[in-house]
Amino acid sequence: MDKQNLRIIFIGTPEFAVGTLSALVEGGYNVVAVVTQPDKPVGRHGSVLQPSQVKQYALEHNIPVLQPVKMKDPEFVEQLRSYNADLQVVVAFRMLPEIVWDMPRFGTFNVHAALLPQYRGAAPINWAIINGETKTGVTTFFLDHDIDTGRIIKQKPFDVPDDANVEYVYDGLMKLGAELALETVDAIIAGDGKVESLPQKDMIPVGKELHNAPKIFKETCEIDWHKTVKQCHDFVRGLSPIPGSWTNVTLPDGRETVMKIYKAQKTDRKAEAPGTVHAEKNHLYISASDYQLEILEVQIAGKKRMAARDFVNGLLH
């Protein structure tokens, strides 16, 4: 068997998934169909339907697209079965039912943006940075009944610099994930459908704490200034640029407003009471529990994102 004969169905939705899909297509692998989310209503009245980035790429390359509302829908299942896929590759998609992931003869593997079994869940990149990890990576694993718990096939590590935000790690892992997906497909081809894999329980060191990566909501993004300056800095990095961390601040005229913080840096300035805002020419600081965090990029409710120095100078003049 070679890559032209291996029939692959690709399942994914966002830009992160396009990295792997394009690597497969441009690498000459036989992607026979794509499964992605239904078009999303956008605009003031939701009257415009926006296709996913995976769908846009697939249509540009004349790949059939399936967009089920329900993954167990009998019509969709039969349509999927008609492609007679040997393998399914999943990147950044919702949980699949067994009738879907167990369909191909060589199974279904997922590309996950973390070093499993760490950071199982919907937001692994965010949580790794929030928790101050200096290393993360990508994992390919076979799907099973529970989310992100299947047998691990391959992994690649990725270093996280101290000042890196989500955008930096996202871009790095998107490229690394595409590379790992191709290596995994090649290993499956070389083994005629069989490839070595390890159960995740065998990869957990005794006494090692496992971190999860649950979905992030607006409430998740509020900064807790009672934490250390390092923890607050990591929190800002782990939510930048999307969705953005936020805090409530009181302006000099007494008005309270929500401030999103996109970029900051640690300082050795001794803290005042946690959450205390201190503004001086070209500089904006907020106290954590031990030191002050210098704020570098902000967005005030109803305003555009701006350098903190411009915000401060506007307040002081």
Side-chain angles (χ1 to χ4, degrees), residues 73-87:
D73 180 80
E75 184 176 342
F76 163 70
V77 171
E78 286 309 306
Q79 193 176 13
L80 191 67
R81 199 184 306 278
S82 71
Y83 285 98
N84 195 29
D86 302 302
L87 178 70

Side-chain angles (χ1 to χ4, degrees), residues 44 62 72 102-103 160 166 201 216 231 254-255 296 310 312:
R44 179 172 297 180
N62 299 313
K72 291 183 180 180
D102 194 43
M103 188 180 295
V160 182
V166 170
K201 63 181 177 62
I216 288 174
Q231 289 173 315
R255 288 183 299 127
L296 301 176
D310 296 332
V312 170

Side-chain angles (χ1 to χ4, degrees), residues 276-291:
T276 300
V277 179
H278 179 73
E280 56 188 57
K281 186 177 180 181
N282 292 327
H283 296 282
L284 178 65
Y285 303 94
I286 302 180
S287 288
S289 65
D290 52 355
Y291 297 100

Side-chain angles (χ1 to χ4, degrees), residues 16 91-95 110-128 141 146-150 200 210-216:
F16 191 87
V91 184
F93 199 75
R94 63 184 188 266
M95 192 170 179
N110 184 288
V111 180
H112 187 72
L115 296 175
L116 292 173
Q118 292 287 6
Y119 296 103
R120 295 168 175 159
I125 298 176
N126 302 90
W127 285 109
F141 68 96
D146 298 313
I147 189 165
D148 298 337
T149 60
Q200 291 191 31
L210 288 185
H211 297 286
N212 291 320
K215 187 175 180 180
I216 288 174

Side-chain angles (χ1 to χ4, degrees), residues 56-77:
Q56 293 176 48
Y57 182 91
L59 293 179
E60 289 168 2
H61 293 80
N62 299 313
I63 302 171
V65 176
L66 308 180
Q67 295 179 274
V69 174
K70 296 181 179 180
M71 299 299 290
K72 291 183 180 180
D73 180 80
E75 184 176 342
F76 163 70
V77 171

Side-chain angles (χ1 to χ4, degrees), residues 13-316:
T13 295
E15 178 193 29
F16 191 87
V18 176
T20 297
L21 175 58
S22 63
L24 288 167
V25 172
E26 291 158 28
Y29 295 82
N30 186 20
V31 179
V32 296
V34 158
V35 178
T36 190
Q37 296 278 44
D39 294 357
K40 184 178 180 180
V42 295
R44 179 172 297 180
H45 304 292
S47 57
V48 178
L49 293 178
Q50 180 177 338
S52 73
Q53 287 159 303
V54 161
K55 178 180 179 179
Q56 293 176 48
Y57 182 91
L59 293 179
E60 289 168 2
H61 293 80
N62 299 313
I63 302 171
V65 176
L66 308 180
Q67 295 179 274
V69 174
K70 296 181 179 180
M71 299 299 290
K72 291 183 180 180
D73 180 80
E75 184 176 342
F76 163 70
V77 171
E78 286 309 306
Q79 193 176 13
L80 191 67
R81 199 184 306 278
S82 71
Y83 285 98
N84 195 29
D86 302 302
L87 178 70
Q88 289 176 157
V89 179
V90 182
V91 184
F93 199 75
R94 63 184 188 266
M95 192 170 179
L96 301 180
E98 182 175 4
I99 194 171
V100 172
W101 58 255
D102 194 43
M103 188 180 295
R105 60 176 180 145
F106 296 154
T108 299
F109 77 79
N110 184 288
V111 180
H112 187 72
L115 296 175
L116 292 173
Q118 292 287 6
Y119 296 103
R120 295 168 175 159
I125 298 176
N126 302 90
W127 285 109
I129 300 173
I130 289 171
N131 288 335
E133 301 287 0
T134 58
K135 189 178 293 291
T136 183
V138 287
T139 301
T140 52
F141 68 96
F142 284 116
L143 294 193
D144 64 10
H145 294 93
D146 298 313
I147 189 165
D148 298 337
T149 60
R151 295 176 66 91
I152 289 175
I153 310 166
K154 289 179 176 288
Q155 293 187 316
K156 278 182 180 285
F158 182 84
D159 291 330
V160 182
D162 183 59
D163 60 349
N165 65 5
V166 170
E167 186 173 37
Y168 175 90
V169 179
Y170 179 101
D171 289 345
L173 294 188
M174 181 168 61
K175 180 180 178 182
L176 201 63
E179 293 173 3
L180 191 64
L182 298 195
E183 290 180 15
T184 302
V185 173
D186 288 344
I188 290 171
I189 292 171
D192 196 25
K194 296 179 180 178
V195 64
E196 184 178 352
S197 61
L198 294 173
Q200 291 191 31
K201 63 181 177 62
D202 293 350
M203 302 180 69
I204 305 173
V206 176
K208 181 73 172 180
E209 178 187 2
L210 288 185
H211 297 286
N212 291 320
K215 187 175 180 180
I216 288 174
F217 300 93
K218 180 182 178 182
E219 296 75 20
T220 313
C221 302
E222 184 177 9
I223 302 169
D224 179 1
W225 296 107
H226 290 86
K227 294 189 174 182
T228 67
V229 71
K230 181 185 184 312
Q231 289 173 315
C232 292
H233 180 234
D234 292 340
F235 192 80
V236 170
R237 295 190 300 123
L239 295 168
S240 178
I242 295 173
S245 60
W246 61 272
T247 188
N248 289 306
V249 296
T250 302
L251 301 178
D253 61 6
R255 288 183 299 127
E256 288 194 355
T257 187
V258 172
M259 174 190 287
K260 276 194 172 185
I261 301 176
Y262 292 98
K263 189 175 181 180
Q265 64 184 13
K266 303 186 295 291
T267 76
D268 57 2
R269 292 168 59 108
K270 287 295 183 181
E272 301 173 44
T276 300
V277 179
H278 179 73
E280 56 188 57
K281 186 177 180 181
N282 292 327
H283 296 282
L284 178 65
Y285 303 94
I286 302 180
S287 288
S289 65
D290 52 355
Y291 297 100
Q292 295 181 42
L293 185 71
E294 182 171 8
I295 312 304
L296 301 176
E297 289 185 21
V298 301
Q299 183 177 19
I300 301 300
K303 304 290 185 179
K304 292 182 179 180
R305 180 173 169 177
M306 69 181 79
R309 65 176 179 272
D310 296 332
F311 169 70
V312 170
N313 291 335
L315 290 178
L316 299 179

